[in-house]
Amino acid sequence: MVTINKLEIENVKRIKAVKIEPSPAGLTVIGGNNNQGKTSVLDSIAWALGGNKYKPSQAAREGSMVPPTLRVTMSNGLIVERKGKNSALKVIDPAGNKAGQQLLDSFVEELAINLPKFMESTPKEKSQTLLKIIGVGDKLAELERQEQEYYSQRHAIGVIADQKEKFAKEIPYYPDAPKEMVSISELIQQQQEIFAINGENARKRQNVDRIRQEYDQSILEVDRLRKLLAEAEAKTNQLSEDLKVANMDAVDLHDQSTAEIEENIANIEQINLKVRTNLDKDKAEEDAKQQREQYNALSAKVEEMRQAQRDLLANADLPLEGLTVSDGNLLYQGQEWDNMSGSQQLMVATAIVRKLKPDCGFVLIDKLEQMDTITLEQFGKWLEQEGLQAIATRVSTGDECSILIEDGYSIINEAHQATQKPSFQAGTF
Ligand SMILES: Nc1ncnc2c1ncn2[C@@H]1O[C@H](COP(=O)(O)OP(=O)(O)O)[C@@H](O)[C@H]1O
Ligand SMILES: [Mg+2]
C-alpha cells in the first residue's frame, strides 16, 4: 500500500513554497485562512499524481519568475516530479529507473485525488461503486432484475384476477336449479314407457267389455234358445270362468300420470338456462381463484428476491459499519446521501474510495471545516485504524491543523505538535 512521505511544491497556483511530511496514517490537516493556498496544495498533488488532465488552468503562480516545481516522495520509494518550462513528468523508482504515468496509475486511485467526483456522482452511481468493491454488484443487479420481472408479471396477473373476480360476482346464481343439465330424450323415453303400459291397460279393459257383451248375449241366447240350453250352459259356464279371470286381471290396474314430465318438458329451457348459468358461475369463480393463487405465488417470489438481496448485502464485507445499499441507494445509518451530514458524507466517501484501489493508501479531502473537532478526532482515529493517510484542508488555524498555509507558505503549527505523541508527529520545513 502506497502513501505520501513528503511533498515539496513551489509556485503552483497560490503556493509560493510548501513542504509537508504528512502522517503516514491518519489525518494531516492543512489549516489556514481563506485564499492562502490550502486547496492549491491538494490541486498540486492531484496534478503530480493524476496526470495532465489534473493540470490547473493557471498552474504557474502569477508573479513568479520561475516555473512550477512539484516533488512528491512516495512510501514505495518512487519520486514524482514536475518541473521545467513544460512541467514535464519525471518518475524515478528507488533503483534509479525511469517510469511514467502508467506506473502512477497502477496505484493512484482517481477518486482518492478527486473525492468530489465521487461526492457529486448520482445516488445510483455511488451505490454501484460500493457494490462493485464488495463484489456483489452483478448478483444484486440480477436479483433486482428478477424482482422487477416477477413484480410486473404479478401486476399483469393481478389485473386479470380482479377482472375475473368481478365477472364471477356479476353472474347470478339459482340455488333451486339441478346440478346438471336436464336431458329431454330421457324424459321422452320415460313418457314412452308410461304410454306403453297405459296402452296395455286399455287393451285389457277392452277385453273385459268384449267378454261382458258376449255373456249378456249368451243369457239372451239361453232365454231364446231353450233347446240349445245344454250347449249354451256349458259355454256360459266357461265364459263365467273367463270373466272371473279377466276381472281379477283388471281389478288392480292404476294409470300413471305424465303431468310432471309434461311440465318438466315445458320448463326444460328455463331450467337449463339456470343450470348453464350456475355452471358458468362455478367456472368463473374457479378461474378467479386460480388467478389469485398465481398472484400470491408471484408475491412470494417478489419477497424472495428482496430477501435474497438483503441476505447478499448482509453477508457482504462492507467498507464502513452502518453502510449498506437498499433499492439501489447508498444508506449510512439508515440515511440516504442527501440526508447525511457533511462529515458523514466525507467519511462514507473516504471509506468507499479507500477500497477501490487497495494499493492506494491516501486520500485528499478539501474543506474539512464541515467537521467539528470531536468528529475530526473520531475521523482521524478511524483513518489510523484503517491504516489510511488523509491529507485534508480546513479553514482554521486551530491546534487540530498540523500545518498552516499563510500567503502561499507552509508553517509548522507548534500548537498541534504539542497535542501529539512524539511518534505521530508530522512536520514542515
Ligand atoms: N496561478 C495563480 N497565481 C496566483 N494566485 C492564484 C493562482 N490561481 C489561483 N490563485 C488565487 O488563489 C486563491 C485561492 O487559493 P486556494 O489554494 O484555493 O486557497 P484556500 O484553499 O486556502 O482558500 C484565490 O485568491 C485565487 O485567485
Ligand atoms: Mg480552499
Side-chain angles (χ1 to χ4, degrees):
M1 198 175 68
V2 185
T3 53
I4 295 170
N5 282 2
K6 189 156 74 172
L7 297 168
E8 294 153 286
I9 310 161
E10 280 171 32
N11 298 315
V12 181
K13 294 190 76 179
R14 179 74 174 88
I15 294 169
K16 290 175 177 165
V18 161
K19 288 187 187 182
I20 302 172
E21 274 188 26
S23 302
L27 192 55
T28 298
V29 180
I30 302 174
N33 291 326
N34 286 323
N35 296 320
Q36 299 304 304
K38 301 182 299 295
T39 302
S40 296
V41 174
L42 301 190
D43 291 348
S44 302
I45 302 173
W47 183 25
L49 302 180
N52 265 327
K53 69 172 168 177
Y54 285 100
K55 182 178 182 176
S57 59
Q58 286 214 35
R61 184 174 64 80
E62 247 170 65
S64 167
M65 305 311 276
V66 277
T69 330
L70 298 164
R71 191 180 159 89
V72 185
T73 310
M74 310 300 300
S75 64
N76 60 359
L78 276 191
I79 295 176
V80 184
E81 281 184 346
R82 281 189 186 273
K83 59 183 179 186
K85 250 203 165 106
N86 301 321
S87 307
L89 178 71
K90 199 168 136 193
V91 182
I92 303 158
D93 74 12
N97 300 314
K98 287 186 181 174
Q101 188 63 48
Q102 217 179 333
L103 178 64
L104 296 182
D105 290 345
S106 71
F107 65 85
V108 176
E109 165 53 41
E110 195 187 349
L111 292 175
I113 55 171
N114 188 9
L115 205 57
K117 185 173 172 183
F118 175 82
M119 314 258 304
E120 285 155 18
S121 64
T122 64
K124 183 103 202 147
E125 285 165 339
K126 285 191 188 78
S127 68
Q128 274 165 358
T129 305
L130 176 59
L131 295 174
K132 193 176 91 187
I133 55 181
I134 61 176
V136 302
D138 293 346
K139 269 194 221 157
L140 197 74
E142 175 58 18
L143 287 169
E144 271 176 11
R145 195 193 57 71
Q146 282 178 20
E147 180 197 331
Q148 198 50 50
E149 200 176 299
Y150 286 130
Y151 186 89
S152 37
Q153 268 181 34
R154 184 183 71 168
H155 177 73
I157 296 280
V159 170
I160 299 169
D162 289 346
Q163 284 171 353
K164 291 203 169 187
E165 278 164 3
K166 186 163 171 274
F167 176 65
K169 220 171 166 185
E170 278 168 357
I171 299 174
Y173 190 75
Y174 304 104
D176 57 335
K179 285 286 164 222
E180 273 159 26
M181 290 282 188
V182 179
S183 157
I184 189 157
S185 66
E186 226 171 83
L187 289 175
I188 287 172
Q189 199 185 334
Q190 282 176 36
Q191 187 192 34
Q192 299 279 316
E193 279 163 15
I194 292 169
F195 280 156
I197 293 164
N198 290 354
E200 179 67 10
N201 292 349
R203 197 188 58 73
K204 284 176 180 169
R205 271 188 221 99
Q206 278 171 9
N207 203 25
V208 173
D209 289 346
R210 185 178 54 76
I211 293 168
R212 179 175 284 126
Q213 271 176 24
E214 277 181 33
Y215 175 74
D216 290 346
Q217 270 176 10
S218 283
I219 293 202
L220 290 176
E221 282 286 277
V222 170
D223 288 343
R224 201 174 52 90
L225 303 169
R226 291 190 181 273
K227 54 183 174 169
L228 294 175
L229 182 62
E231 299 113 83
E233 254 175 5
K235 193 177 181 184
T236 303
N237 285 343
Q238 181 56 47
L239 285 170
S240 166
E241 282 307 305
D242 288 353
L243 183 61
K244 269 187 219 155
V245 172
N247 260 331
M248 247 156 57
D249 219 10
V251 78
D252 277 333
L253 294 179
H254 295 293
D255 286 355
Q256 268 185 42
S257 167
T258 60
E260 196 185 332
I261 288 173
E262 273 150 24
E263 195 189 316
N264 279 349
I265 289 170
N267 287 341
I268 194 159
E269 273 314 310
Q270 228 181 325
I271 294 168
N272 282 349
L273 186 66
K274 289 182 177 179
V275 172
R276 214 174 292 120
T277 308
N278 286 354
L279 290 172
D280 284 351
K281 187 179 183 78
D282 290 347
K283 170 88 172 58
E285 277 173 351
E286 182 58 27
D287 267 13
K289 195 175 140 232
Q290 278 180 13
Q291 198 73 15
R292 189 51 65 194
E293 279 164 5
Q294 270 188 56
Y295 181 92
N296 292 338
L298 284 167
S299 288
K301 280 283 181 199
V302 168
E303 183 44 42
E304 196 183 303
M305 292 304 116
R306 287 179 181 166
Q307 189 55 46
Q309 290 172 57
R310 287 194 289 269
D311 290 348
L312 193 61
L313 288 168
N315 299 324
D317 179 23
L318 288 151
L320 186 66
E321 211 183 296
L323 188 62
T324 186
V325 169
S326 170
D327 284 342
N329 261 328
L330 205 68
L331 292 186
Y332 180 56
Q333 293 178 351
Q335 300 290 333
E336 286 186 37
W337 181 263
D338 63 348
N339 230 13
M340 297 176 201
S341 73
S343 72
Q344 285 177 328
Q345 287 178 342
L346 280 175
M347 249 182 88
V348 168
T350 308
I352 290 174
V353 164
R354 193 259 163 288
K355 299 272 177 178
L356 280 173
K357 219 172 241 181
D359 283 344
C360 186
F362 62 92
V363 58
L364 309 182
I365 308 172
D366 203 15
K367 299 186 183 122
L368 212 55
E369 52 271 10
Q370 327 192 24
M371 287 190 190
D372 59 37
T373 47
I374 294 169
T375 313
L376 206 62
E377 205 172 308
Q378 287 168 354
F379 185 48
K381 284 221 178 82
W382 175 76
L383 289 165
E384 272 176 50
Q385 200 180 295
E386 293 284 307
L388 184 61
Q389 178 187 56
I391 302 174
T393 71
R394 177 173 169 89
V395 179
S396 164
T397 52
D399 62 12
E400 75 278 17
C401 309
S402 35
I403 292 112
L404 300 176
I405 306 286
E406 260 180 48
D407 188 26
Y409 292 103
S410 54
I411 303 164
I412 189 163
N413 188 9
E414 301 293 350
H416 176 77
Q417 298 297 311
T419 66
Q420 296 298 295
K421 290 182 211 140
S423 58
F424 282 115
Q425 276 192 5
T428 58
F429 303 88

